[in-house]
Amino acid sequence: MKILPEISRTLSEYLLIPGLTTEDCTPDRVDLGAPLVRHRLGEEPGVRVATPLVSAIMQAVSSPTLAVALARAGGLSFIHQNQRIEDQAADVRAVKGHDHPASGTDDRASVDGEGRLRVGAGINSRDFKDRVPALVEAGADVLCLDSSDGYSVHQARTLEFARETYGEDVPVGAGNVVDGRAFRYLADAGAAFVKVGIGGGAICTTRAQKGIGRGQASALLDVVEARDAYAQETGVYVPLCCDGGLLNDSHMAMALAMGADFIMLGRYFARLDESPSRKLLIDGQWYKEYWGEGSLRAQNEARYGQRGRMVFEEGVDGYVPYAGGLDDNVERTRAKIASTMISCGSTNLRDFHRDAVLVPVSAESFKQTGAEVQLRLPALTSAE
Ligand code: IMP
């Protein structure tokens, strides 16, 4: 047994100190572009995104409709893998076959060499010998292993299979991890990117059920250090994806400041029109359903028992406040991240990684952030 000396910290426990904002720091000059896959330092990655947001590998999140909207907004979706191989491949085909009309923001769209929208797909380390070829055949641009704990020989074997079969042509991300050891293992095994985060998801009960996980800030800072050391040693940059528990836009800016290349979101996208779940009116307020992939509901909807009989749940089944359409939300999020970067004096993510100055906040200063104004009165009958 060994106890790490540092306490496990979340993203809310840090703030950014402003840097010098110069004339160059204007919203239209901020470039949020990020590499999605491994590449040699100084060379162009095979896949980039103009908006560093990807949607979670979840039934309640990544449908073809959401994937089309997100790719047009410059991000990327990962079609969920808790379904039959042929159904998932059909979802991928639906996105690739979408005829994508030109519009104002489309110069940002994530497109492949033939101008088709890009789409990713989740895979697992059990049926990969059948699922990977079917998804590649359907046109998936990027694949990603979908597991709450990616530090395993099973993931290494899956990566090896993809590399032996397709060489560098089919990038496969791996994860999730929360420390530098696990990052290096997956980077050595050929992961195209590594996903960071265990137990932080909005619908996640992994920490309570299994006791594994780490605060997202501590996990990210540890893995960022390992990624940078790996790049120095090998000349290969393996991008990091910060996954789970990003509750608001400032958390996204914080994750990017800490060195994440891009961000995976579940709850954020589940709230939107384009997500596949039902929209419900409850007590005058609109909600959308949102459930974890480890919840009983996800297992039931998968129906064919791909994962075998579930012995315990690792996720909850609930509702999130409805938040409108994807375009407006992504545009607002982009503007907020850009505004944070401008305050910190950065106009691109590489500079932001290098120049951001962060400070941990004490419990007392954390409390002070809460509004001291009562926002709702119990029963207002008249006002002057
Ligand atoms: P969110 O953005 O906070 O909603 O977190 C989404 C992330 O939670 C996903 O990308 C997964 O990594 C993780 N996740 C999805 N379903 C479950 C579950 O049932 N239990 C635990 N974690 C989950």
Side-chain angles (χ1 to χ4, degrees):
M1 197 272 288
K2 172 177 166 185
I3 296 183
L4 296 178
E6 281 153 41
I7 215 154
S8 160
R9 292 192 186 279
T10 68
L11 294 169
S12 316
E13 291 177 77
Y14 290 85
L15 286 171
L16 283 156
I17 308 278
L20 178 66
T21 303
T22 62
E23 292 90 343
D24 292 338
C25 299
T26 56
D28 55 305
R29 290 214 191 125
V30 173
D31 176 6
L32 293 179
L36 212 80
V37 298
R38 65 157 61 210
H39 55 279
R40 298 205 66 79
L41 285 175
E43 288 178 12
E44 267 301 298
V47 184
R48 279 184 77 82
V49 283
T51 300
L53 307 179
V54 303
S55 70
I57 311 171
M58 297 173 73
Q59 296 172 21
V61 180
S62 293
S63 62
T65 306
L66 189 117
V68 167
L70 183 53
R72 292 187 58 181
L76 190 96
S77 283
F78 286 90
I79 301 291
H80 79 85
Q81 55 95 22
N82 220 339
Q83 59 177 328
R84 287 202 308 261
I85 293 172
E86 53 270 40
D87 295 339
Q88 191 187 13
D91 279 359
V92 167
R93 261 189 219 100
V95 182
K96 297 307 288 185
H98 185 83
D99 196 9
H100 129 253
S103 84
T105 54
D106 270 12
D107 41 346
R108 207 182 274 156
S110 303
V111 290
D112 63 19
E114 294 163 40
R116 299 179 303 172
L117 293 174
R118 283 202 193 277
V119 65
I123 60 169
N124 62 69
S125 53
R126 294 172 301 275
D127 64 13
F128 59 90
K129 287 189 179 154
D130 300 317
R131 195 173 288 268
V132 170
L135 294 170
V136 170
E137 166 75 26
D141 294 276
V142 196
L143 303 178
C144 183
L145 275 154
D146 179 20
S147 167
S148 62
D149 173 11
Y151 191 14
S152 75
V153 292
H154 312 299
Q155 292 222 345
R157 279 195 199 118
T158 310
L159 294 169
E160 190 185 353
F161 168 80
R163 208 176 49 248
E164 280 175 359
T165 318
Y166 304 102
E168 301 285 302
D169 293 344
V170 176
V172 183
N176 286 12
V177 307
V178 289
D179 75 352
R181 287 179 310 174
F183 168 84
R184 183 164 282 263
Y185 180 78
L186 293 175
D188 281 341
F193 60 88
V194 174
K195 207 140 67 67
V196 182
I198 299 180
I203 33 49
C204 181
T205 54
T206 302
R207 289 179 191 168
Q209 296 284 42
K210 303 208 297 195
I212 64 164
R214 192 174 192 184
Q216 191 65 356
S218 301
L220 205 49
L221 291 169
D222 190 351
V223 180
V224 162
E225 199 178 314
R227 176 201 58 197
D228 293 345
Y230 191 82
Q232 280 253 311
E233 269 173 57
T234 64
V236 175
Y237 188 86
V238 179
L240 295 185
C241 172
C242 175
D243 175 26
L246 290 125
L247 297 179
N248 53 45
D249 293 344
S250 74
H251 285 159
M252 298 184 209
M254 202 61 72
L256 293 170
M258 287 183 176
D261 293 281
F262 60 100
I263 288 165
M264 178 171 272
L265 303 156
R267 188 196 59 94
Y268 177 92
F269 289 115
R271 301 172 308 150
L272 309 181
D273 283 324
E274 289 83 352
S275 83
S277 77
R278 282 191 303 162
K279 186 173 145 190
L280 306 156
L281 185 63
I282 303 163
D283 275 347
Q285 158 91 43
W286 286 101
Y287 292 88
K288 296 261 308 190
E289 298 169 311
Y290 182 41
W291 63 94
E293 282 312 295
S295 69
L296 197 58
R297 171 164 183 181
Q299 300 294 313
N300 286 340
E301 301 219 354
R303 276 189 206 97
Y304 62 108
Q306 170 212 9
R307 292 183 179 188
R309 198 170 66 80
M310 196 166 72
V311 185
F312 63 93
E313 289 183 80
E314 254 184 81
V316 300
D317 177 3
Y319 308 93
V320 285
Y322 165 67
L326 183 139
D327 275 356
D328 289 348
N329 278 277
V330 168
E331 200 53 42
R332 207 174 315 123
T333 295
R334 284 182 55 98
K336 284 193 212 171
I337 296 172
S339 163
T340 306
M341 288 167 63
I342 288 171
S343 282
C344 295
S346 305
T347 53
N348 64 65
L349 292 176
R350 227 184 20 224
D351 291 355
F352 195 36
H353 291 174
R354 189 193 55 213
D355 298 336
V357 178
L358 291 121
V359 62
V361 294
S362 69
E364 278 306 307
S365 62
F366 194 57
K367 265 194 261 168
Q368 202 194 17
T369 323
E372 300 253 324
V373 177
Q374 193 162 343
L375 297 177
R376 270 184 234 287
L377 296 175
L380 183 68
T381 40
S382 72
E384 299 189 337

